[in-house]
Amino acid sequence: MKGDVLSKFKTKYCLSFPIGQEFYCDIGNGTRESPYLVYSAESLYDVRNDLNAYYKQICDIDLTGYSSGEGWLPIGNNSNRFTGHFDGGGFVITGLKINRPESDYIGLFGAISNDAKVTNCKIVDAVTSGSRFVSVLVPFCSSEFCVRIIMLFL
């Protein structure tokens, strides 16, 4: 299954822009030099399938499709932490909803390691609930310096 999900990142996708032009771009290979490009709610969800890779968000993302029931499943947890790098690129993530009152490590990312970095993220219209270690972006980080973020709440 992991190979199937990651192969989505390695194929070429057509992106449309308001001016009507289309182009193809390489989605990356998960390295520092060629991070996986995160361009949709589904591609953000797929980050959990390779917790050690590099990612770069390339557009605003709406997570309202993941808001029913318990909502978004956090990326990583205390026993399987995100160890990669995620650059939000200053783009916005909207509609994050998590309703897991019996669960710990609740946020867009559940838990990240000392070596992980989550940067340049903007989150708007977020509601999270859980038991312990609850936040919007990263509720648990094993180092106080592994998260450098920009957060917006409306």
Side-chain angles (χ1 to χ4, degrees):
M1 167 108 172
K2 181 177 176 182
D4 292 338
V5 173
L6 293 179
S7 68
K8 290 181 192 176
F9 284 115
K10 294 177 181 176
T11 59
K12 299 204 182 259
Y13 287 86
C14 179
L15 304 174
S16 296
F17 291 89
I19 57 174
Q21 295 180 342
E22 296 180 341
F23 71 96
Y24 290 85
C25 63
D26 188 347
I27 302 301
N29 61 19
T31 64
R32 180 187 319 256
E33 297 78 23
S34 181
Y36 291 129
L37 301 182
V38 177
Y39 57 90
S40 67
E42 180 185 46
S43 64
L44 180 58
Y45 189 87
D46 286 344
V47 168
R48 73 193 69 252
N49 296 311
D50 189 352
L51 296 174
N52 193 38
Y54 285 76
Y55 297 90
K56 182 167 181 76
Q57 184 177 336
I58 61 169
C59 59
D60 293 342
I61 295 175
D62 182 359
L63 294 179
T64 56
Y66 290 86
S67 63
S68 64
E70 292 182 321
W72 179 259
L73 177 64
I75 298 167
N77 55 47
N78 193 39
S79 60
N80 196 20
R81 295 179 183 170
F82 179 75
T83 57
H85 292 77
F86 183 90
D87 179 357
F91 292 100
V92 177
I93 296 171
T94 58
L96 174 65
K97 304 284 191 282
I98 305 173
N99 183 23
R100 299 173 182 267
E102 304 298 319
S103 299
D104 299 334
Y105 304 98
I106 299 300
L108 183 68
F109 291 83
I112 65 176
S113 73
N114 283 345
D115 298 328
K117 289 190 180 165
V118 177
T119 61
N120 303 316
C121 293
K122 295 181 183 180
I123 299 178
V124 176
D125 184 30
V127 177
T128 59
S129 66
S131 179
R132 296 179 316 131
F133 304 107
V134 179
S135 178
V136 171
L137 186 60
V138 179
F140 184 83
C141 177
S142 48
S143 167
E144 64 185 87
F145 301 107
C146 58
V147 180
R148 294 181 181 101
I149 58 174
I150 302 169
M151 296 176 66
L152 301 173
F153 299 98
L154 299 178

